[in-house]
């Protein structure tokens, strides 16, 4: 590709970590996070499309080189691509009363090559949401893994392929708190497994290429294409 069409390989950083399924299953049965009741359910389209679109903009599109998604894209493509593997974590919306729940995190995983891959994930990082990445992921995984197929029900530990930035967020949360919330994740044993298969060509020389954006010394922008968008 590079010789013929001027394409450049761009790296997406991924990691593999072990997940204790017994502990993640126990986490999903917790009644609350200490402050508010929560509920895990399947994503409901088209009802959830607008909320998920806005959350995805904040969690992924403003931080990474990734696929920008419209509400229509969520309604027509994501809903069909992920089907009933897309789960959302909801909590009471304080602004609209306890009977109105809002989405604060979401996930989809799939079995792949004897392990599991995170196809989709995000957490509400707004200032009025107290959910941590670690807290949300533990509870969502207990449901998502159980419905993803494979042999997870008979295994006490599985391998999960996830974006390295998600792993890094969990590490930072563990370093900044005294909580033991990540006990179902083997953070120290995680290994890198980067994806160098994304190829780009720059048709506008007046603009920096994707490779330049990801490798520049000052404020590099990470590259991440969620498997949801891998056409």
């Amino acid at each position: 590709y590079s010789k013929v069409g001027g394409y450049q390989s761009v790296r997406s950083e991924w990691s593999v970590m072990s997940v204790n399924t017994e502990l993640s299953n126990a986490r999903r049965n917790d009644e609350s996070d200490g402050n508010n009741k929560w509920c895990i359910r399947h994503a409901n389209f088209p009802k959830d499309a607008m909320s998920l679109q806005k959350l995805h903009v904040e969690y992924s599109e403003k931080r990474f080189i990734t696929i920008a998604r419209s509400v229509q894209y969520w309604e027509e493509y994501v809903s069909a691509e992920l089907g009933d593997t897309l789960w959302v974590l909801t909590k009471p919306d304080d602004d609209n009363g306890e009977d109105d729940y809002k989405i604060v995190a979401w996930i989809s995983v799939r079995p792949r090559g004897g392990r599991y891959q995170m196809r989709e994930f995000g957490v509400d990082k707004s200032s009025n949401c107290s959910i941590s990445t670690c807290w949300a992921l533990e509870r969502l995984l207990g449901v998502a893994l159980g419905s993803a197929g494979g042999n997870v029900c008979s295994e006490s530990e599985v391998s999960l392929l996830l974006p390295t930035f998600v792993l890094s967020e969990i590490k930072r949360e563990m370093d900044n708190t005294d909580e033991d919330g990540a006990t179902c994740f083997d953070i120290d044993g995680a290994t890198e497994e980067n994806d160098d298969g994304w190829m780009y060509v720059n048709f506008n020389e007046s603009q920096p290429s994707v490779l330049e954006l990801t490798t520049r010394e000052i404020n590099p922008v990470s590259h991440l294409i969620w498997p949801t968008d891998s056409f």
Side-chain angles (χ1 to χ4, degrees):
Y1 282 100
S2 60
K3 292 181 180 180
V4 177
Y7 285 85
Q8 298 174 318
S9 174
V10 176
R11 168 167 293 183
S12 288
E13 296 183 345
W14 288 74
S15 297
V16 179
M17 74 173 179
S18 295
V19 177
N20 185 312
T21 58
E22 294 178 352
L23 287 175
S24 66
N25 282 330
R27 296 292 188 195
R28 73 175 181 174
N29 292 323
D30 290 350
E31 291 186 355
S32 72
D33 64 353
N35 298 304
N36 296 295
K37 298 293 183 180
W38 56 270
C39 175
I40 297 175
R41 60 169 174 80
H42 283 116
N44 182 5
F45 291 99
K47 179 181 178 181
D48 292 334
M50 184 171 292
S51 294
L52 287 168
Q53 188 270 337
K54 291 179 179 179
L55 290 167
H56 182 265
V57 168
E58 298 297 325
Y59 191 77
S60 292
E61 294 177 29
K62 288 187 177 181
R63 298 199 289 174
F64 312 111
I65 297 171
T66 191
I67 301 295
R69 302 175 184 170
S70 65
V71 173
Q72 183 181 9
Y73 184 90
W74 276 94
E75 290 178 347
E76 298 180 3
Y77 175 78
V78 176
S79 63
E81 180 71 12
L82 300 183
D84 61 5
T85 71
L86 181 58
W87 296 88
V88 296
L89 174 67
T90 66
K91 294 180 65 176
D93 188 345
D94 295 334
D95 295 330
N96 295 318
E98 292 188 359
D99 292 335
D100 192 4
Y101 280 69
K102 66 177 181 179
I103 298 172
V104 294
W106 66 100
I107 194 172
S108 174
V109 300
R110 64 180 175 184
R112 193 171 181 85
R115 58 192 183 184
Y116 292 85
Q117 181 185 45
M118 181 181 283
R119 300 177 71 185
E120 179 72 27
F121 181 69
V123 180
D124 184 355
K125 289 297 185 180
S126 61
S127 59
N128 61 350
C129 182
S130 60
I131 296 295
S132 70
T133 297
C134 175
W135 193 92
L137 183 56
E138 280 192 313
R139 284 148 183 83
L140 284 168
L141 271 179
V143 177
L145 287 173
S147 64
N151 298 318
V152 67
C153 294
S154 61
E155 299 178 16
S156 61
E157 188 174 272
V158 298
S159 294
L160 177 68
L161 179 65
L162 74 167
T164 299
F165 85 87
V166 177
L167 181 68
S168 298
E169 283 188 340
I170 296 173
K171 287 181 178 179
R172 285 195 296 272
E173 291 169 357
M174 292 176 64
D175 291 339
N176 294 332
T177 66
D178 296 327
E179 298 178 2
D180 60 350
T183 52
C184 73
F185 305 137
D186 182 8
I187 301 296
D188 294 333
T191 58
E192 288 186 3
E193 192 169 308
N194 296 320
D195 180 3
D196 294 315
W198 292 94
M199 307 294 291
Y200 291 87
V201 63
N202 190 14
F203 292 108
N204 186 352
E205 297 296 335
S206 66
Q207 299 293 327
S209 68
V210 173
L211 181 62
E212 291 171 337
L213 290 172
T214 60
T215 59
R216 64 189 182 187
E217 293 186 7
I218 301 176
N219 297 324
V221 184
S222 297
H223 174 268
L224 173 66
I225 305 297
W226 289 101
T228 299
D229 303 303
S230 299
F231 305 108

